[in-house]
Amino acid sequence: MSSTAAVRPAGRRRAAIWITLGAIVAVVILFFVFAGLYADILWYNQLGYLNVLTTQWFAGIAMFFIGFFGMALPLWLSIQLAYRLRPVYAKLNSQLDRYQQVIEPLRRLAMYGIPIVFGIFAGVSAASRWQTAAMWLNGTAYGKTDPLFHLDIGFYLFALPFYRSAVGFASAVVLISLLATLATSYLYGSIRVSGREVRISRAARVQISVIAALYLLLQGISIWLDRYATVTDSNVNDMINGAAYTDVNATIPGRAILAGAAILVALLFVLTAFIGRWRFPIVGTALLIVAALVAGAIVPWVMQRFQVDPSQKTLETPYVQRGIDSTREAYGLTDIETIPYNAKTTAEQGALRQDAQTTAQIRILDPAVVSPSFRQLQQFRQYYAFPEKLNVDRYELNGTQQDAVVAVRELQQSGLGSARNWFNDTIVYTHGYGLVAAYGNQRSPDGQPVFMESGIPTTGTLGEYQPRIYFGEQSPTYSIVGAPKDSKAVELDYPGGSDGAQQTYTTFSGNGGPKLDNIFKRLVYALKFQDEQIVLSDAVNSNSQILYDRDPIKRVQKVAPYLTLDSQAYPAVVDGRVKWIIDGYTTSDQFPYSHVGSLSEATADKDTPKPAYAFDDINYIRNSVKATVDAYDGSVTLYAWDTTDPVLKTWEKVFPTTVKPVSDMSAALMSHVRYPSDLFKVQRSVLGQYHVDDAGSFYSREDAWTTPNDPTSPSSNPALQPPYYLTMKMPGQENPAFSLYSTFIPAGTSESSRSVLKGYLAVDADAGSTKGTVSSGYGKLRLLQLPSSDTIPGPGQMQNQFDSDPTVSQQLNLLRQGKSEVINGNLLTVPVGGGLLYVQPVYVRSSGETSYPLLQKVLVAFGDKIEFEDTLDQALDALFGGDSGATAGDNNVPTTGGSTGGQSGGGQTSGGGSSGGSSSAGSNTALQEALQRANQALSDSQAALKAGDWSAYGEAQKRLQQAISDAVAAEGQPAAK
């Protein structure tokens, strides 16, 4: 007795310990979950978008419970009814009897547990579809109807996806309930199988019949809704999307018949519940299956094979035309202006006189090449960085709009090296400093960029602005900033002093992140970032703020989860602040008759990598929102750019007050808004096929185009040429405008068929500079269509001509002496002089560790004529008979080199290079002089060869060899100081 009594308390103690440990673990897990949720609340609340978070939470929770109870209650009711209406004295076979004995102890748990488990899965699935439900509840009319059913397009965008999803969910619930009813009825004797005989109790018969009738009724509704889905299905040998001849005349009528038949069979099951005869519904179900095969597959196949295929072009033409019209509508291409362009190929003297303004703005600075130049000339410290690809923007200087290559000097903590620790990473090194901008059309004598804004502290032409970059694309994971008013500043602002020894410090004074004003919040963020120093460090005070989620695109995505964002955010000085500008798109894949394509594949090119797997098909897109993120305090502002977009209107109902009207945009911000590159890429991808607006021509695909590969991309892994921003005047424009352009070549498999230029697409990307008013020309698409008989070379063919030209090849070989690297910049195509001018900057980079690309030459071509000179202005004059009639932006190369900014803390001028210097050709006087002599000797050789003067040719060749030898020797010399 005593031993048994002793065992019981010990067992109870162990049980109590396990319960206590379990409770502690549960509390810890719940607190971690709570910490994450509470951190989200603090982040959204500080940013002013708490309603975005709470709306998502409430919508998700509501949908979870709808899904949970929508599944659990019918399933529980089905099991309960099947059990309670079981025969009391049913005779069970021995096997079922054993099953009952095993299951009976767990019956109560199963009756509640099974519905709960299925309900949880259903709830999670429903919660993930809260956006579909929200769009249905708040759907906005599009204002146009589809050409087949004549329903408002908003029905397909907002209502139909929800209806199909709801019917699919209900069908799953009914089917699972039917299976649960059958299993319970069989287990408890309501259904008995004896040989070939199946006996079903009356109660089970009624229950099964009603559930089966509900399932068939839902299938009838689903089939009926599938009729409408035909307008978004791929068709006509995947040429267009939407219902074609066979769909309209066979598939859609067949689905209507099947829907009616399904409802009729459902009524037969209801009849069985009363009369007890299964023959009718079973026969009806069999006939329904046969009808589905005949009406859904056989009849459409026969019609397609024997009626449509022999006369496909004639019968399908109206539907192909629907596809063309709807695709242009869905992708914003209805107002594109097609301009026949009979491009000249003869470079005549003075041909550019009418295009002088365009010529002056031709950009010779390649934003994809000059990032190392920005780093060497403007980085100043290893803990600063610039992105690999810079951005193109424009600023108004002295009343003239000037294209610029821009980037912000961001913080890069990896450059701190051994100085990295928690205090430095989190408290001291918190932000970058300044925006750097270089003239897009200028260069220094040695090939460096000419900066309009540069240096630390910042100096230049952009005026006073807040230069500190707390929020950027390379910002640290989190920083803790802020301090009491009279406390000593600890955040490194920038290096200063003539020797770089003096440091300038600052304290963040904005409202950029949640406050850490109590121990509870510090504990929450210590858990979020798995860092106990947030709680323990005395550097964290009641005035501290924690800055995180600092990437501009990520911040916009969190406050506007319904948007698809452009792959590029670009910085601009706006109203005294550096603002990141991001384009947001509303998309759909449910636009009737519109072409479906992958968004990520359409936007992939040399600058944007193609994803391994693409799951982002769309057939409708609008640039509906322009967003800004303040680089100092991280504040996010959304502007409704496309006020006619019904998708945006719908989301504005879901998240009211989050999007401001375009009238709130300042004039300074408006002057930096541009037509987004990703939207333009999608449009050019679609126009490769859909520039043809005649259904007959479209069907035969006799004039299909494609975007050419970038001629500077590696041949082993070619990528499409990206579109380029340029200020230019297109035919049909009165004045030059900041534009975005791309070219087209014929689509084909052989290289010869893909080489010539067929089209030139440009869009007016300038939104103007009036507060709250978008320029009337903004977004105007113009397509120059070259005659099919022309043989204007495309970018690939032109690059090949550049590389194979004997004169160019020899000069390039000179530039490559001493292991220097020659880098071809972006190959620009500009419609000037009545034809198409090709311009390509050529950079040289020496083999030194601190070297960077220097712009040394410019290649130009017009028709079949090529010139290769030191400046664009010289090249154009040489190309057009000695006088092009216009001047390029580099006609007066400044004698000050790239130095236009203030001095850094290290005593370097903004054009003075890095502290390690550069052994490049541009800063090595001896090498530069040798190359000039070699160039002159080469020209003399060619002149003597043409004249047949072999004596002069031999003398020039000797001078050429001597100049090459001198260049090789000079390559190893230090740069001139």
Side-chain angles (χ1 to χ4, degrees), residues 374-382 384-386 409:
F374 272 53
R375 284 197 293 270
Q376 289 296 325
L377 300 173
Q378 291 293 318
Q379 183 171 333
F380 301 135
R381 290 292 186 271
Q382 293 303 311
Y384 289 133
F386 291 98
R409 188 185 293 106

Side-chain angles (χ1 to χ4, degrees), residues 342-614:
N342 190 14
K344 296 179 181 178
T345 56
T346 303
E348 301 174 351
Q349 192 175 51
L352 302 185
R353 188 164 288 111
Q354 300 299 320
D355 299 294
Q357 291 175 290
T358 297
T359 306
Q361 284 285 10
I362 294 177
R363 178 174 50 76
I364 57 174
L365 207 62
D366 185 349
V369 173
V370 298
S371 181
S373 303
F374 272 53
R375 284 197 293 270
Q376 289 296 325
L377 300 173
Q378 291 293 318
Q379 183 171 333
F380 301 135
R381 290 292 186 271
Q382 293 303 311
Y383 49 78
Y384 289 133
F386 291 98
E388 286 301 316
K389 182 180 182 300
L390 311 184
N391 285 286
V392 178
D393 197 5
R394 71 279 189 205
Y395 287 88
E396 186 171 323
L397 305 176
N398 301 320
T400 302
Q401 186 169 273
Q402 174 67 57
D403 288 7
V405 175
V406 301
V408 293
R409 188 185 293 106
E410 291 204 55
L411 179 67
Q412 181 178 262
Q413 290 185 341
S414 60
L416 292 172
S418 60
R420 296 200 67 176
N421 55 56
W422 183 87
F423 187 82
N424 281 343
D425 284 356
T426 309
I427 306 297
V428 179
Y429 293 92
T430 58
H431 60 279
Y433 193 94
L435 181 140
V436 177
Y439 293 91
N441 61 344
Q442 297 184 22
R443 49 160 286 185
S444 69
D446 58 0
Q448 294 180 10
V450 179
F451 295 102
M452 65 172 69
E453 188 74 20
S454 60
I456 295 181
T458 57
T459 58
T461 61
L462 303 187
E464 296 292 327
Y465 66 93
Q466 171 58 262
R468 295 165 185 86
I469 311 298
Y470 281 90
F471 294 83
E473 295 173 316
Q474 303 181 56
S475 296
T477 303
Y478 76 95
S479 297
I480 297 177
V481 299
K485 214 173 225 186
D486 299 326
S487 62
K488 182 180 178 181
V490 296
E491 296 177 52
L492 178 68
D493 201 18
Y494 56 85
S498 59
D499 58 357
Q502 181 181 345
Q503 306 294 334
T504 302
Y505 293 88
T506 188
T507 298
F508 180 77
S509 59
N511 180 22
K515 291 185 178 296
L516 302 177
D517 50 7
N518 59 57
I519 189 65
F520 182 73
K521 291 181 181 178
R522 296 179 201 175
L523 179 60
V524 165
Y525 281 104
L527 291 174
K528 178 178 178 63
F529 292 107
Q530 299 293 290
D531 196 335
E532 73 282 355
Q533 295 299 325
I534 296 176
V535 175
L536 301 177
S537 176
D538 60 1
V540 183
N541 55 75
S542 59
N543 293 92
S544 293
Q545 301 174 43
I546 184 166
L547 312 182
Y548 63 98
D549 286 343
R550 300 160 76 173
D551 181 86
I553 291 179
K554 183 175 183 179
R555 290 179 78 80
V556 175
Q557 191 68 80
K558 290 184 71 172
V559 303
Y562 52 90
L563 292 178
T564 300
L565 300 181
D566 198 272
S567 56
Q568 284 190 350
Y570 62 98
V573 175
V574 176
D575 300 322
R577 307 290 281 253
V578 176
K579 297 286 184 74
W580 293 95
I581 302 174
I582 304 103
D583 287 282
Y585 310 112
T586 47
T587 62
S588 176
D589 61 355
Q590 296 297 313
F591 198 96
Y593 278 101
S594 176
H595 166 80
V596 174
S598 167
L599 176 62
S600 54
E601 289 184 355
T603 58
D605 55 25
K606 185 186 175 185
D607 295 337
T608 307
K610 187 176 181 179
Y613 302 100

Side-chain angles (χ1 to χ4, degrees), residues 331-333 675 679-688 761 781:
Y331 287 95
L333 299 171
Y675 198 84
L679 174 61
F680 187 75
K681 292 177 189 179
V682 172
Q683 290 175 322
R684 76 174 179 181
S685 175
V686 171
L687 278 173
L761 178 67
L781 287 155

